[in-house]
C-alpha cells in the first residue's frame, strides 16, 4: 500500500519518549494509516491496484486457543503479523490483515479520517459490552484522542459526559464536542477527586457516575477512577500504564459498593467493521481530533508538539 496518511497516536508518543514493549525502537514506526493499493498480492480478490483503502495493523490468526474461544482481541498471534512502519511511503499488509481487517475507503472520507479506523476500533471495543443508554452519566479522565473519541461515541448514545484533563485547550475542544462539564485536573489525586466530584454534581446529582473511563494510562488515575463512581458503577481502564506498575483499590468500595473494574485491549474484526461503518456514516465529527498535518521529514516536530501537550493527533503525509 502506498501510504497517503498516517496518524500519530498515544502509543507512538509513549514509544517515542519512553520506549514501548510492542514497538521496539529504533524500528519501523506508525500503525494508523490509509492509502492506495500499490500492488495486489497473488490471490487477492477484494482489492486491486489503485484502490483507496483503509486498514488496521493487525488481525487474529483464528487458530489459537483464544481465537477458538472467540476472544479475537486476545489472539496469541495478533502481534506476530502486525504492521508497523506507516511513517513511510509504503507498507506491506500481510494476508491476514488484508483478508479480515481491510476495507475500501469510501469516496467522501478523507485519507486522514480513514486512518482513524484503528484507534476508533479500540474505543468501539471498550464500549461494546457496556450497553450505554440515553441518560447514563460518564466521566472521562484524559481528553487526548482516545478520551475525545469516547466522548463522541458516548454522546451519540445519549450519555451525559464530563471530562477531566490538565490542558485547557483540550477541554475547550471537549466542550465543543458535547462534554456537559469540563474540569481542569491537577494530577493531585485528593484535590482532583474533591474538585471533580463537586464540579460535576449537576450531572450526577452528587451520587457519582455510572461509568468512568480512564484514558491516561497513569496508575494514579486508575486508582482515583473508583472515587468518581456511584455504587454499582463501572470503571473502564483504557489507558495502558508503563509495564511493572501496579494500582491499589479500596476493598470496601469494590465489595460493598459492587464496583466493576474492567480492562480493555485492542479490538476484534467485528469492532473494526463497526468502526468502519461509523466512519463511513460520517455523523461524528471525528476529524476534529486531527490537529494538523506534517510532511514525513518533519515528523519529530509533530511528536515534539504532542509531548508538550499541544494538539490531539497529527497526520503524517509522506
Ligand atoms: Zn494507535
Ligand atoms: Zn489467534
Amino acid at each position: 500500500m502506498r501510504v497517503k496518511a498516517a496518524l500519530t497516536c498515544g502509543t507512538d508518543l509513549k514509544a517515542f519518549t519512553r520506549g514501548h514493549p510492542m514497538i521496539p525502537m529504533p524500528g519501523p514506526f506508525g500503525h494508523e494509516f490509509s492509502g492506495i493499493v500499490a500492488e495486489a498480492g497473488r490471490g487477492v480478490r477484494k482489492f486491486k491496484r489503485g484502490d483507496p483503502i483503509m486498514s488496521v495493523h493487525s488481525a487474529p490468526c483464528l487458530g489459537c486457543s483464544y481465537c477458538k474461544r472467540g476472544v479475537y482481541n486476545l489472539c496469541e498471534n495478533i502481534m506476530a503479523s502486525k504492521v508497523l512502519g506507516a511513517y513511510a511511503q509504503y507498507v506491506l499488509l500481510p494476508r491476514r490483515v488484508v483478508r479480515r481487517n481491510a476495507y475500501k475507503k469510501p469516496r467522501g472520507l478523507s485519507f486522514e479520517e480513514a486512518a482513524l479506523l484503528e484507534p476508533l476500533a479500540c474505543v468501539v471495543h471498550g464500549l461494546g459490552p457496556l450497553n450505554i443508554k440515553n441518560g447514563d452519566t460518564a466521566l472521562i479522565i484524559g481528553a487526548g484522542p482516545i478520551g475525545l473519541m469516547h466522548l463522541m461515541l458516548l454522546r451519540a448514545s445519549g450519555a451525559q459526559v464530563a471530562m477531566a484533563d490538565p490542558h485547557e485547550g483540550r477541554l475547550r475542544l471537549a466542550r465543543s464536542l458535547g462534554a456537559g462539564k469540563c474540569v481542569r485536573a491537577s494530577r493531585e489525586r485528593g484535590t482532583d477527586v474533591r474538585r471533580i466530584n463537586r464540579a460535576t454534581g449537576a450531572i450526577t446529582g452528587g451520587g457519582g457516575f455510572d461509568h468512568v473511563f480512564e484514558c491516561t494510562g497513569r496508575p494514579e488515575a486508575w486508582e482515583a477512577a473508583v472515587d468518581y463512581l456511584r455504587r454499582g458503577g463501572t470503571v473502564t481502564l483504557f489507558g495502558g500504564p508503563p509495564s511493572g506498575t501496579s494500582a491499589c483499590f479500596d476493598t470496601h468500595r469494590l465489595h460493598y459498593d459492587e464496583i466493576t473494574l474492567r480492562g480493555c485491549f485492542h479490538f476484534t474484526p467485528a469492532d473494526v467493521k463497526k468502526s468502519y461503518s461509523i466512519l463511513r456514516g460520517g455523523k461524528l465529527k471525528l476529524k476534529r481530533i486531527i490537529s494538523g498535518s506534517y510532511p514525513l521529514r518533519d515528523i519529530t516536530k509533530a511528536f515534539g508538539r504532542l509531548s508538550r501537550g499541544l494538539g490531539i493527533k497529527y497526520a503524517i503525509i509522506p
Side-chain angles (χ1 to χ4, degrees):
M1 188 196 81
R2 183 158 62 82
V3 178
K4 290 290 281 182
L7 300 175
T8 63
C9 139
T11 312
D12 295 331
L13 181 62
K14 278 192 255 180
F16 187 76
T17 53
R18 70 171 193 226
H20 193 283
M22 291 185 187
I23 306 179
M25 287 280 156
F29 197 22
H31 64 271
E32 299 178 6
F33 50 78
S34 65
I36 290 172
V37 176
E39 200 71 66
R42 207 149 33 96
V44 175
R45 266 174 276 278
K46 242 163 96 179
F47 307 110
K48 58 179 191 316
R49 185 200 293 207
D51 281 347
I53 57 167
M54 51 205 278
S55 167
V56 297
H57 67 308
S58 70
C61 73
L62 304 192
C64 74
S65 65
Y66 286 97
C67 283
K68 285 188 178 138
R69 287 190 194 109
V71 197
Y72 301 113
N73 59 312
L74 299 183
C75 167
E76 287 164 27
N77 304 307
I78 201 142
M79 291 299 160
S81 62
K82 76 173 187 286
V83 181
L84 292 177
Y87 302 143
Q89 285 79 9
Y90 292 88
V91 288
L92 182 64
L93 303 184
R95 173 206 307 241
R96 211 195 273 173
V97 170
V98 172
R99 216 178 250 173
R100 287 170 209 142
N101 277 338
Y103 292 87
K104 257 189 207 143
K105 183 186 80 63
R107 206 170 285 160
L109 193 68
S110 68
F111 282 101
E112 287 85 347
E113 275 178 278
L116 288 168
L117 185 67
E118 190 266 344
L120 186 63
C122 293
V123 179
V124 163
H125 178 76
L127 285 172
L130 292 176
N131 187 27
I132 301 286
K133 294 180 300 296
N134 201 20
D136 280 2
T137 59
L139 171 69
I140 301 168
I141 306 171
I146 292 294
L148 292 166
M149 279 189 274
H150 273 90
L151 168 63
M152 287 185 256
L153 290 176
L154 286 164
R155 291 294 294 142
S157 303
Q160 296 300 312
V161 187
M163 199 107 192
D165 192 276
H167 300 287
E168 189 47 50
R170 291 183 167 200
L171 292 179
R172 257 200 310 276
L173 179 54
R175 218 169 276 132
S176 75
L177 290 171
K181 188 78 201 172
C182 290
V183 192
R184 192 87 178 258
S186 65
R187 300 199 165 170
E188 295 283 332
R189 179 173 168 184
T191 359
D192 273 1
V193 169
R194 274 192 302 280
R195 217 191 26 234
I196 291 172
N197 278 335
R198 210 178 315 124
T200 55
I203 291 181
T204 62
F209 290 90
D210 301 322
H211 292 280
V212 172
F213 296 91
E214 200 300 307
C215 304
T216 72
R218 291 164 47 244
E220 313 85 85
W222 277 43
E223 291 180 345
V226 299
D227 298 334
Y228 305 114
L229 275 185
R230 68 157 168 78
R231 300 182 75 199
T234 301
V235 178
T236 298
L237 299 161
F238 192 101
S243 39
T245 52
S246 51
C248 222
F249 298 96
D250 178 0
T251 52
H252 186 99
R253 282 236 78 191
L254 263 68
H255 181 76
Y256 294 100
D257 290 346
E258 211 175 66
I259 275 167
T260 303
L261 294 179
R262 57 188 288 270
C264 63
F265 175 69
H266 218 69
F267 44 77
T268 66
D271 299 318
V272 178
K273 195 170 180 190
K274 180 147 187 226
S275 167
Y276 169 72
S277 51
I278 292 170
L279 284 162
R280 195 183 49 184
K283 287 211 184 80
L284 301 187
K285 297 173 183 156
L286 287 154
K287 64 164 160 282
R288 299 274 309 277
I289 63 170
I290 302 173
S291 314
S293 61
Y294 283 93
L296 185 53
R297 64 175 176 279
D298 288 335
I299 187 168
T300 52
K301 285 187 191 159
F303 281 104
R305 284 185 68 80
L306 290 172
S307 56
R308 295 197 302 278
L310 300 171
I312 307 292
K313 240 175 168 14
Y314 291 99
I316 306 300
I317 312 293

